[in-house]
């Protein structure tokens, strides 16, 4: 089934205790696409500037990602971000950020994509998310992310977006900020009252939690000994979740629970190296193998 | 099979965002015993002062805990602790502590307990743990805990204790401090080099991790919406783990993995109310029911 992602494409510089990567391909839509592409064709909707390196475009194209929705805007520059992780890798400081094209008019969904069945609205202004959502009126499943900035500054817009999606995938800090609830189950339940029928809360190295009207599921992260760079883990997670769901006829609790495994595995590969180094040539067989191992680890006989 | 626990008995005053409990029964050996008693007879080895309330002794006795190893020392006072939890309940400040009898000569294992098969050495000075361990020479399985103070001040003694036990159950902060490793898998592997054949690392609300020479298992905590008081969660966890293992002929990876479920469930009940309020009248059926639900939550079909 067709899966569309709207989000950022960036040129990242990342510093971690394990090294540094300069001016590498990044952004939410990129990490999402590299995880989801193993499950279903991915349509990428994003905007870059005219400085976007052709080599980066080739990386996306050669991965089979549909770039008909990738706008290269003349006179604009690509989003750039420089971040440094703390020793425990659980926090990062933004050292420099140039919004560039992200501060301009947002991406447009090409008319040919109006028939898209599955949609992930990665983090951007919620009014923009809502506009993008209206461009895919027949979608079977629409899921969105958000961030602290919009929770603080654009809450009304965010509530309209939440009312128009099937599910949300956000991190623990955002869930707490959004609901004022310290407890994540309570936070998830409050999110369901805002419209979505499921909430997936990401907890970084501590795994994730799925809250639906029927059930709560906690899942640990895949045990990873050598985390090189956590950048993109959350978007890769979303890519694994949505990619898997796009292969499923039903999106009930059982399917959502299975999707957590695919999200967890997708994130686990991304963090093993900087940027897309680990996932760029990742094979589906490697994913399937780790999915089986994670399910086995969780199966107590 | 017989299960012996050595550890503290205290009179606790606990303040959390949900309320306060004054001068209630607490201590590592108490929480451990109340979790383990559902699986096997528990022998408690500890010392209290002559101020120890008869009502507290009755609580222990009426729970079926064998108190032949509980010494009431004339002229001494019982350990007392006052703690206050932060808003997120993940940290606590000690407001007052009176070591009292814990600063004196430690507990002795009665000769009649020398045949004990299963032993948990809760946190105390490692030299004292080693002495207690030598009093149960035929034990099939000996597991210990420790704390930051001994890691810092009595490392040589601690290494001798670790070399003399089958497993350790410690928390994430302790594992990191002990090994200098940020990553918990790496920390667990380093602990195995110190002697134990398994390391269980507790992560509070984020669950636990089991590291053995053959495998790594991560498990989330039971999703709990209303945490009233986290005091005793770690000792209850250990009680569930050891209690379950005492019912098992083999202590291989499969049994250890199953024991994590029992530890997780034991902790989940303890935190639902202050002190022993929730677990004092807990029935085995409630435990079995939650064990089944946790296994089911983790089972991805």
């Amino acid at each position: 089934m067709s899966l569309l992602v709207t989000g950022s494409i960036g040129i990242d510089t990342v510093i971690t205790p394990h090294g540094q990567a300069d001016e590498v391909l990044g952004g939410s839509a990129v990490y999402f696409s590299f995880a989801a592409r193993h499950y279903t064709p991915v349509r990428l909707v994003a905007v870059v500037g005219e400085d976007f390196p052709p080599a980066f475009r080739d990386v996306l194209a050669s991965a089979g990602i549909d770039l008909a929705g990738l706008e290269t805007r003349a006179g604009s520059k690509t989003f750039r971000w420089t971040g440094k992780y703390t020793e425990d890798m659980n926090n990062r400081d933004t050292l420099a950020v140039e919004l560039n094209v992200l501060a301009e008019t947002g991406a447009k969904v090409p008319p040919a994509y109006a028939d898209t069945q599955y949609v992930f609205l990665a983090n951007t202004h919620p009014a923009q998310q809502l506009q993008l959502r209206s461009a895919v009126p027949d979608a079977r499943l629409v899921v969105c992310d958000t961030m602290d900035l919009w929770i603080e500054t654009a809450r009304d817009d965010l509530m309209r977006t939440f009312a128009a999606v099937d599910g949300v995938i956000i991190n623990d800090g955002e869930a707490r900020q959004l609901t004022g609830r310290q407890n994540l189950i309570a936070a998830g339940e409050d999110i369901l009252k805002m419209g979505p029928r499921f909430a997936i809360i990401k907890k970084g190295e501590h795994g994730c939690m799925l809250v639906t009207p029927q059930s709560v599921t906690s899942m640990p992260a895949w045990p990873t000994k050598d985390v090189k760079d956590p950048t993109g883990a959350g978007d890769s997670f979303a890519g694994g979740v949505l990619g898997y769901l796009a292969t499923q006829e039903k999106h009930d609790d059982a399917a959502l629970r299975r999707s957590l495994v695919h999200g967890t595995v997708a994130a686990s590969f991304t963090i093993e190296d900087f940027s897309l180094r680990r996932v760029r040539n990742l094979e589906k067989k490697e994913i399937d193998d780790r999915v089986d191992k994670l399910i086995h680890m969780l199966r107590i006989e």
Side-chain angles (χ1 to χ4, degrees), chain A:
Chain A
M1 289 295 219
S2 56
L3 169 58
L4 184 153
V5 56
T6 70
S8 65
I9 295 183
I11 301 175
D12 291 350
T13 294
V14 182
I15 304 157
T16 84
H18 299 284
Q20 178 165 345
D22 294 301
E23 304 206 334
V24 292
L25 179 56
S28 59
V30 171
Y31 283 108
F32 180 97
S33 298
F34 268 84
R37 73 189 171 114
H38 294 284
Y39 298 87
T40 194
V42 177
R43 298 167 167 180
L44 189 156
V45 173
V47 191
V48 294
E50 59 185 13
D51 60 340
F52 191 64
F56 285 2
R57 197 184 168 91
D58 290 347
V59 167
L60 295 166
S62 65
I65 297 160
D66 184 339
L67 301 180
L70 175 59
E71 177 191 347
T72 303
R73 192 167 294 168
S76 295
K77 290 179 74 180
T78 304
F79 169 61
R80 283 172 183 263
W81 175 76
T82 300
K84 182 177 179 176
Y85 286 83
T86 55
E87 188 61 38
D88 70 1
M89 303 259 241
N90 283 328
N91 294 291
R92 67 185 183 196
D93 298 316
T94 292
L95 301 184
V97 64
E98 296 173 41
L99 284 178
N100 294 331
V101 76
L102 290 193
E104 303 171 11
T105 309
K108 289 272 183 304
V109 175
Y113 283 180
D115 64 347
T116 304
Q117 298 283 291
Y118 292 82
V119 177
F120 182 67
L121 306 167
N123 168 45
T124 186
H125 193 292
Q128 166 73 356
Q129 287 178 312
L130 198 58
Q131 199 176 355
L132 289 162
R133 197 260 168 273
S134 68
V136 283
D138 302 328
R140 285 193 61 205
L141 192 78
V142 181
V143 177
C144 77
D145 190 1
T146 190
M147 72 182 289
D148 51 359
L149 178 65
W150 315 127
I151 295 170
E152 204 177 318
T153 65
R155 198 180 179 93
D156 290 350
D157 286 321
L158 189 61
M159 290 303 95
R160 279 188 282 275
T161 298
F162 271 35
V165 300
D166 301 286
V168 300
I169 302 180
I170 60 179
N171 71 37
D172 44 5
E174 291 155 358
R176 289 184 170 122
Q177 185 193 1
L178 180 66
T179 62
R181 301 276 200 169
Q182 185 60 37
N183 183 282
L184 293 179
I185 304 171
E189 290 176 351
D190 277 8
I191 291 169
L192 300 188
K193 292 177 197 153
M194 298 169 185
R197 64 179 182 80
F198 66 86
I200 296 176
I201 300 173
K202 300 173 289 181
K203 303 193 291 175
E205 67 163 322
H206 300 302
C208 63
M209 184 177 279
L210 164 71
V211 180
T212 78
Q214 293 81 39
S215 69
V216 174
T217 300
S218 278
M219 189 173 291
W222 172 251
T224 301
K225 199 169 156 188
D226 296 304
V227 179
K228 281 233 179 70
D229 173 13
T231 309
D235 299 305
S236 300
F237 177 91
V241 167
L242 269 287
Y244 176 77
L245 289 174
T247 68
Q248 299 296 298
E249 199 48 49
K250 288 168 67 178
H251 306 132
D252 55 7
D253 279 18
L256 289 168
R257 281 161 46 76
R258 291 194 299 272
S259 80
L260 300 181
V261 174
H262 294 267
T264 299
V265 166
S268 76
F269 282 113
T270 295
I271 65 179
E272 289 181 3
D273 209 338
F274 285 91
S275 184
L276 302 172
R277 285 179 201 163
R278 180 67 180 94
V279 299
R280 193 176 159 184
N281 297 309
L282 190 66
E283 291 181 18
K284 184 63 160 59
K285 193 189 166 310
E286 295 176 275
I287 295 170
D288 293 343
D289 181 54
R290 192 170 290 181
V291 163
D292 288 345
K293 283 183 176 152
L294 178 54
I295 289 172
H296 183 77
M297 184 188 86
L298 297 172
R299 184 178 296 261
I300 305 296
E301 309 282 4

